Amino acid sequence: VGEVGELSEIFQWKGEVPKGLPDWKEEEKVHLGEELSDVLLYLVRLSDICGIDLGKAALRKVELNAIKYPASKKNFNTSNGTAHTEYDLCVVSNIQSLSGLGTTAVERTKTVVHPFNVQSVAAPKPI
């Protein structure tokens, strides 16, 4: 909890921060990396002690959130009159068991889905 507090302090008076932190000094980014690492290391150790596969738990949570908070969508027609839906998605790639310190990339992206090519989200499996 203390490490999360130290991480939170960095952002306390920053307000909204843009992707990549372009206005931040290099020393601030290094400090941020150190605090993020502290939180990650404690989290990995805690999940190991508790016997939780953090990678599986994270994937399950993303699936649950996708059901609870569906992606925002906008319907539009293309120039040829075909209807499409644009979803604002949160894509999580390369989640591995964090005990092996795999990397996680989370990014927001837009995906255009053709009306006849929509995939449903399966209910998450218990851990």
Side-chain angles (χ1 to χ4, degrees), residues 33 48 61 85 87 91 108 111:
D48 183 51
K61 185 62 175 179
T85 304
Y87 290 90
V91 176
R108 296 199 68 76
T111 302

Side-chain angles (χ1 to χ4, degrees), residues 40-111:
L40 174 66
L41 293 171
Y42 273 101
L43 184 63
V44 168
R45 180 69 176 139
L46 180 60
S47 66
D48 183 51
I49 293 295
C50 296
I52 301 294
D53 183 323
L54 201 50
K56 285 182 184 177
L59 284 173
R60 181 174 185 275
K61 185 62 175 179
V62 168
E63 291 170 351
L64 286 169
N65 285 345
I67 294 166
K68 189 173 182 181
Y69 308 104
S72 61
K73 64 179 182 177
K74 300 173 199 157
N75 295 314
F76 65 95
N77 290 319
T78 59
S79 57
N80 67 5
T82 305
H84 291 276
T85 304
E86 180 181 77
Y87 290 90
D88 187 12
L89 302 174
C90 183
V91 176
V92 179
S93 60
N94 198 23
I95 291 183
Q96 302 170 2
S97 172
L98 291 179
S99 60
L101 289 179
T103 59
T104 302
V106 178
E107 61 183 72
R108 296 199 68 76
T109 185
K110 294 207 182 285
T111 302

Side-chain angles (χ1 to χ4, degrees), residues 10-11 14 17-18 20-26 28-29 32:
I10 294 173
F11 293 98
K14 295 280 189 187
V17 293
L21 310 173
D23 300 332
W24 288 36
K25 297 175 187 168
E26 190 57 32
E28 291 176 305
K29 291 180 182 182
L32 174 61

